[in-house]
């Protein structure tokens, strides 16, 4: 199977023997998934795809060890702070001297890797470039920075939130979530009518913690392992309880139903706009709602969610609109 993505096409033409290597935070690509080595990723979708092929797949938050691979390839992310975290994790968890290649798109900032490696005291050489991508190579060494230092705390809405560079809205409460919280305050039943609520795309856990503080029984889901870990830490930091799961939209929930589904769904995949997850969130929501329940979500005002809501629910209402963001509520049929 030929490589599909530009970064993998660049790797495909290398003369390196990648058998047994560790692929770190890679994109979805059939060439990788059908090839050699193992994967280390915080993306639940990537991990599931590899495991379905009976390929070794690890999360950085698993207790499992990745062993001592002959080398590793780090796919440099758009968020440079996240790339730095992956570097620190690899330095802390793989043997000193392990070969490391770093690959990424030029527009994604891969060339900044040179300064990042120099700051960590790691040498580097350019190995190849093609398809508007560049491949660098170095060897891992001991670095006196703990990857745990990337986790930060901040206060919002009377809550302590735990954040990481790999989580949406790292280190701050975004304006869309703030508008959604205001609408929830006005329109979601209070503690006297608390129920089972699903926070879909939980991020740093602000919605889950806010809802749990009001007495709701919380299930929080995110495809991003960093978000799952952040939400667990946020709930613990506030003395709150909730179930936090890794999953691709509803994949980890089977036939469970909730009194409400709350979401600030993502629509970006790296630099591209992707409505897929949000589309599934809306289309499949009625099957996961109890009678009288509803979906409440916030989205950029320009996104075409009204059409999706109309088709899935037969109607909806706008609870808040500040011209940048809108909060929608779509009740299941018969509960209007």
């Amino acid at each position: 199977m030929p490589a599909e993505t530009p970064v993998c096409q660049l790797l495909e033409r290398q003369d390196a023997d990648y058998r047994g290597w560790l692929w770190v935070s890679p994109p979805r690509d059939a060439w990788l998934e059908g090839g050699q080595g193992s994967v280390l990723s915080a993306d639940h979708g990537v991990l599931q795809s590899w495991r379905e092929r009976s390929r070794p797949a690890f999360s950085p938050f698993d207790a499992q060890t990745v062993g001592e691979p002959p080398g590793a390839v780090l796919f440099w992310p758009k968020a440079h702070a996240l790339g730095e975290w992956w570097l620190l994790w690899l330095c802390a968890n793989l043997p000193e001297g392990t070969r490391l290649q770093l690959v990424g798109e030029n527009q994604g900032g891969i060339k900044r890797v040179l300064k990042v490696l120099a700051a960590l005291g790691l040498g580097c050489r350019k190995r190849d470039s093609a398809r508007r991508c560049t491949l660098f190579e170095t060897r891992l060494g001991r670095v006196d920075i703990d990857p745990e230092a990337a986790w930060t705390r901040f206060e919002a809405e009377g809550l302590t939130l735990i954040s990481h560079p790999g989580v949406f809205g790292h280190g701050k409460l975004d304006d869309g979530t703030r508008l959604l919280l205001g609408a929830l305050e006005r329109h979601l039943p209070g503690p006297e009518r608390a129920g089972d609520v699903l926070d879909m795309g939980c991020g740093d856990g602000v919605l889950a913690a806010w809802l749990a503080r009001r007495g709701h029984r919380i299930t929080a889901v995110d495809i991003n392992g960093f978000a799952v870990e952040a939400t667990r830490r946020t709930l613990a930091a506030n003395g709150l309880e909730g179930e936090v799961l890794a999953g691709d939209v509803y994949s980890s929930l089977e036939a469970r139903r909730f009194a409400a589904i709350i979401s600030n769904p993502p629509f970006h995949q790296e630099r591209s706009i992707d409505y897929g997850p949000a589309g599934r969130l809306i289309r499949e929501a009625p099957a996961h709602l109890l009678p009288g329940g509803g979906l409440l979500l916030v989205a950029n005002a320009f996104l075409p969610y009204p059409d999706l809501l109309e088709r899935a629910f037969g109607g909806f209402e706008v609870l808040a609109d500040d011209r940048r963001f809108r909060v929608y509520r779509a009740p299941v049929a018969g509960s209007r």
Side-chain angles (χ1 to χ4, degrees):
M1 178 70 69
E4 301 166 318
T5 57
V7 285
C8 288
Q9 289 167 356
L10 176 57
L11 290 167
E12 185 181 31
R13 72 185 219 159
Q14 304 305 307
D15 59 5
D17 182 355
Y18 288 119
R19 285 178 295 180
W21 278 49
L22 181 66
W23 305 100
V24 184
S25 191
R28 294 293 306 274
D29 193 297
W31 175 74
L32 281 181
E33 294 168 11
Q36 301 287 337
S38 57
V39 70
L40 175 68
S41 176
D43 186 314
H44 177 75
V46 170
L47 295 174
Q48 283 297 101
S49 179
W50 282 62
R51 288 166 181 162
E52 287 169 1
R53 294 171 178 256
S54 299
R55 300 286 306 285
F58 308 94
S59 162
F61 306 111
D62 289 340
Q64 302 170 271
T65 175
V66 297
E68 298 185 1
V73 178
L74 171 57
F75 293 80
W76 194 254
K78 178 182 176 182
H80 296 290
L82 178 57
E84 292 170 11
W85 183 87
W86 278 116
L87 271 174
L88 294 176
W89 192 96
L90 292 169
C91 285
N93 288 275
L94 294 185
E96 188 171 357
T98 299
R99 288 178 65 188
L100 175 67
Q101 293 184 359
L102 305 98
V103 66
E105 296 183 12
N106 296 336
Q107 289 185 339
I110 181 62
K111 295 182 180 179
R112 287 182 57 184
V113 160
L114 294 170
K115 291 184 178 180
V116 173
L117 291 171
L120 295 176
L122 302 175
C124 180
R125 71 181 180 92
K126 179 179 175 180
R127 185 180 178 95
D128 197 4
S129 61
R131 305 288 296 173
R132 298 180 181 177
C133 301
T134 304
L135 177 66
F136 294 102
E137 184 164 296
T138 186
R139 289 187 179 270
L140 296 175
R142 287 289 156 248
V143 176
D144 294 329
I145 304 174
D146 189 342
E148 191 68 15
W151 292 93
T152 58
R153 291 176 173 238
F154 68 101
E155 304 294 320
E157 300 293 321
L159 295 163
T160 298
L161 304 179
I162 311 301
S163 186
H164 186 278
V167 178
F168 167 74
H170 172 49
K172 65 181 186 301
L173 182 66
D174 74 284
D175 292 338
T177 298
R178 195 183 306 278
L179 188 68
L180 176 58
L181 287 171
L184 293 177
E185 183 78 49
R186 297 187 299 273
H187 297 280
L188 194 71
E192 69 282 354
R193 294 174 56 200
D196 293 315
V197 177
L198 173 63
D199 175 9
M200 181 59 73
C202 53
D204 59 21
V206 58
L207 293 174
W210 188 92
L211 292 161
R213 188 176 59 183
R214 287 172 62 88
H216 296 282
R217 295 178 296 275
I218 298 303
T219 300
V221 175
D222 206 296
I223 196 170
N224 182 351
F226 294 108
V228 171
E229 180 68 14
T231 296
R232 288 173 177 160
R233 294 188 184 207
T234 288
L235 290 171
N238 293 279
L240 299 168
E241 295 184 356
E243 181 182 24
V244 189
L245 304 171
D248 184 2
V249 194
Y250 300 104
S251 66
S252 59
L253 297 172
E254 298 180 344
R256 291 173 60 182
R257 291 175 177 262
F258 301 87
I261 299 173
I262 314 295
S263 185
N264 181 357
F267 67 92
H268 285 99
Q269 185 68 31
E270 288 293 328
R271 291 188 302 277
S272 302
I273 292 179
D274 180 8
Y275 304 131
R280 287 181 55 204
L281 164 70
I282 294 170
R283 287 193 304 273
E284 299 175 23
H288 292 276
L289 286 166
L290 293 166
L295 169 67
L296 294 95
L297 64 85
V298 65
N300 293 75
F302 68 84
L303 293 172
Y305 292 168
D307 291 342
L308 294 174
L309 291 166
E310 187 70 37
R311 287 197 293 270
F313 288 88
F316 65 91
E317 59 181 321
V318 177
L319 301 183
D321 187 342
D322 68 0
R323 298 188 179 182
R324 293 176 57 215
F325 300 97
R326 288 181 190 148
V327 178
Y328 300 95
R329 178 179 183 268
V332 292
S335 62
R336 294 180 180 84

